[in-house]
Amino acid sequence: MDNRKVGVLGGGQLGRMLIEAANRINIQVNVLDASKSPAKQIAFHDGHIEGSFKDSAAVKELAQASDVLTVEIEHVDTQMLEEVSKQVPVEPSPKTLTIIKDKFRQKEHLIAHGVDVAESRDLEGDEEGLEGRLKEVGKSFGYPFMLKSKTEAYDGRGNFVVKSEGDIEAAKKALGGRPLYAERWAEFQMELAVMIVKTKDGVLSFPVVETIHEDSICKLTYAPPRNVSKETVARAQELAKKAIAAFEGKGVFGVEMFLLKDGKLLVNEIAPRPHNSGHYTIEACPVSQYAAHLSAILDLPIRQSDLRLITPAAIMLNILGGQTPDSHIKVAQKARELTSSWPHLYGKGDARPGRKMGHLVVTASSLAKAEAEIQPLIDFVDEQKG
Ligand code: ATP
Ligand code: MG
Ligand code: MG
């Protein structure tokens, strides 16, 4: 369908699922990562680059072998990507990646574009004065508040809930030395997420999902969200579109939001790439988030109607590593016994507690039916966790 080659920085599960979509239309995806990374396992050709996506020589090599570069992780050297973008297009743009990979800068950018976010306080620099400044934040925001690392944060690794002044010592121990900011606690009734597709022509939106996090890691997503009015869903979609319209470049973006108890919506954070909250689109939409990403960065045709739900309900369950190295295999086997879902396993080898090893999606004619089908599997997962 297209003989351009796509280069990807990072070869984890997102790169792997991007390749699944690319394989169907015969597009070659060159991966820069370690030799047996999840993405490389399913694409046999001579265009991969072995090395780290943080290594500039390797990125240049990838650029040489590719017609367009993209990322499956934002924690990359964006300055170097800026340089490389003079030779080959990088999507989304290095400028956008630079802003988004720093969660505090990302917030400032959103505020400047009229997007509501949780109130934040910069805490970077002056390690010695940190304790005093954390106490001031506690007085001003009240407890609990969230202490966050601006960079290199994912799956909650980079966040610390400061529940009282007595937690400040532990917070400093957990995150000291990293560039920090504090965030006012969001009293949310629910978390929502939307995948947005930014094309050369504008901004399209996938449906809104409800996300459930456990220990700061996404566990479940529900499409559509449970017990949320059409009006709120529409507002969430509009907010997500507005947030992503504020950035340059093409591709899919994940927008995480808080639906507060008073009905107000705040953007929590943005991911400039395919996102866990969009996995359900493989089973539940005509065009998945991965196919949409390829379409956007390659300027292939894509319409709003491609992004609709083709099933009344879809629930995604992450398969997280448990106490034993094969815990994810047991969950996948159980999923086949208990549900009609066909699981995704990422080829990461041995499980570690909390590591994302795979996921599955249950679709049904109603949310109630999907919930009834998946509940025994959730019970199994919770029992394993102990
Ligand atoms: P990801 O893996 O999504 O990139 P992350 O490590 O960047 O996660 P956040 O999205 O900042 O972390 O936070 C993880 C979770 O912690 C959120 O989904 C939410 O459940 C909770 N959380 C984060 N910030 C706040 C806040 N200000 N108030 C209340 N809860 C919060
Ligand atoms: Mg994040
Ligand atoms: Mg998050």
Side-chain angles (χ1 to χ4, degrees):
M1 193 155 129
D2 200 297
N3 53 23
R4 283 172 294 170
K5 292 175 179 143
V6 175
V8 186
L9 278 74
Q13 68 266 22
L14 301 175
R16 179 172 166 120
M17 289 182 271
L18 187 72
I19 289 177
E20 286 176 0
N23 281 348
R24 274 173 59 173
I25 56 167
N26 227 6
I27 285 178
Q28 180 174 319
V29 178
N30 301 329
V31 175
L32 166 54
D33 210 333
S35 66
K36 288 194 180 120
S37 62
K40 284 186 180 175
Q41 290 168 22
I42 64 162
F44 182 71
H45 54 71
D46 56 10
H48 297 310
I49 310 291
E50 194 171 332
S52 162
F53 50 81
K54 303 210 175 210
D55 172 35
S56 67
V59 172
K60 280 183 190 143
E61 227 183 300
L62 181 72
Q64 231 134 49
S66 312
D67 297 293
V68 54
L69 288 192
T70 190
V71 299
E72 62 125 46
I73 180 166
E74 56 275 29
H75 310 303
V76 295
D77 180 347
T78 50
Q79 223 169 336
M80 181 246 304
L81 276 183
E82 188 84 54
E83 231 172 86
V84 160
S85 69
K86 289 171 195 149
Q87 265 110 55
V88 57
V90 178
E91 299 294 352
S93 80
K95 198 172 150 195
T96 291
L97 294 171
T98 305
I99 298 168
I100 290 180
K101 77 177 206 174
D102 179 328
K103 287 164 86 169
F104 189 73
R105 239 185 115 178
Q106 180 193 126
K107 271 209 168 60
E108 289 181 316
H109 185 84
L110 288 170
I111 292 167
H113 286 81
V115 176
D116 291 334
V117 296
E119 190 183 344
S120 298
R121 196 70 62 79
D122 194 358
L123 293 170
E124 200 173 340
D126 179 25
E127 276 296 303
E128 261 146 55
L130 185 59
E131 183 162 344
R133 286 187 295 152
L134 283 170
K135 281 184 184 160
E136 270 170 42
V137 170
K139 282 200 188 97
S140 144
F141 285 179
Y143 294 94
F145 68 84
M146 193 65 110
L147 183 64
K148 292 191 179 184
S149 172
K150 294 179 177 180
T151 57
E152 304 286 334
Y154 68 98
D155 292 345
R157 287 175 235 190
N159 288 0
F160 193 97
V161 183
V162 186
K163 296 196 185 87
S164 68
E165 209 172 280
D167 273 352
I168 286 178
E169 204 45 50
K172 273 174 52 192
K173 222 182 198 149
L175 296 178
R178 297 174 75 169
L180 300 178
Y181 73 101
E183 216 172 274
R184 191 187 278 280
W185 194 256
E187 283 293 343
F188 58 80
Q189 47 168 306
M190 183 182 283
E191 290 185 87
L192 299 173
V194 187
M195 293 308 304
I196 297 294
V197 187
K198 195 149 187 291
T199 71
K200 65 178 178 8
D201 302 317
V203 176
L204 308 172
S205 172
F206 276 102
V208 176
V209 302
E210 171 188 353
T211 61
I212 304 282
H213 291 79
E214 220 174 75
D215 305 327
S216 279
I217 303 176
C218 177
K219 180 181 186 186
L220 288 153
T221 71
Y222 294 80
R226 293 170 299 175
N227 307 313
V228 175
S229 70
K230 281 206 172 101
E231 181 271 328
T232 301
V233 166
R235 266 197 300 133
Q237 219 159 13
E238 282 316 305
L239 179 63
K241 280 164 107 170
K242 181 177 172 183
I244 298 311
F247 292 94
E248 278 178 10
K250 298 179 284 193
V252 298
F253 293 76
V255 182
E256 299 180 357
M257 286 173 280
F258 299 126
L259 173 58
L260 302 184
K261 290 189 174 139
D262 64 5
K264 204 169 174 283
L265 284 163
L266 300 178
V267 169
N268 169 24
E269 65 163 346
I270 286 169
R273 51 170 168 77
H275 190 253
N276 199 165
S277 67
H279 288 350
Y280 77 98
T281 59
I282 297 175
E283 282 84 358
C285 301
V287 166
S288 73
Q289 65 164 341
Y290 302 98
H293 188 63
L294 291 169
S295 303
I297 66 173
L298 292 168
D299 297 333
L300 303 176
I302 184 160
R303 311 155 201 87
Q304 182 57 54
S305 58
D306 298 337
L307 312 183
R308 69 187 193 278
L309 282 180
I310 48 172
T311 173
I315 301 177
M316 189 276 322
L317 173 70
N318 266 340
I319 302 177
L320 300 174
Q323 294 308 321
T324 58
D326 66 343
S327 54
H328 55 298
I329 311 284
K330 294 208 175 96
V331 176
Q333 282 168 348
K334 207 65 177 175
R336 290 302 306 130
E337 280 169 37
L338 297 175
T339 74
S340 54
S341 71
W342 187 252
H344 300 248
L345 289 176
Y346 304 149
K348 289 185 172 176
D350 286 352
R352 283 196 309 263
R355 191 172 188 210
K356 287 174 178 167
M357 302 302 292
H359 77 270
L360 55 93
V361 175
V362 166
T363 59
S365 57
S366 73
L367 212 39
K369 283 191 181 138
E371 284 191 273
E373 186 177 328
I374 205 166
Q375 192 55 52
L377 185 62
I378 295 174
D379 293 341
F380 175 79
V381 166
D382 290 345
E383 274 162 33
Q384 299 285 302
K385 218 180 149 196

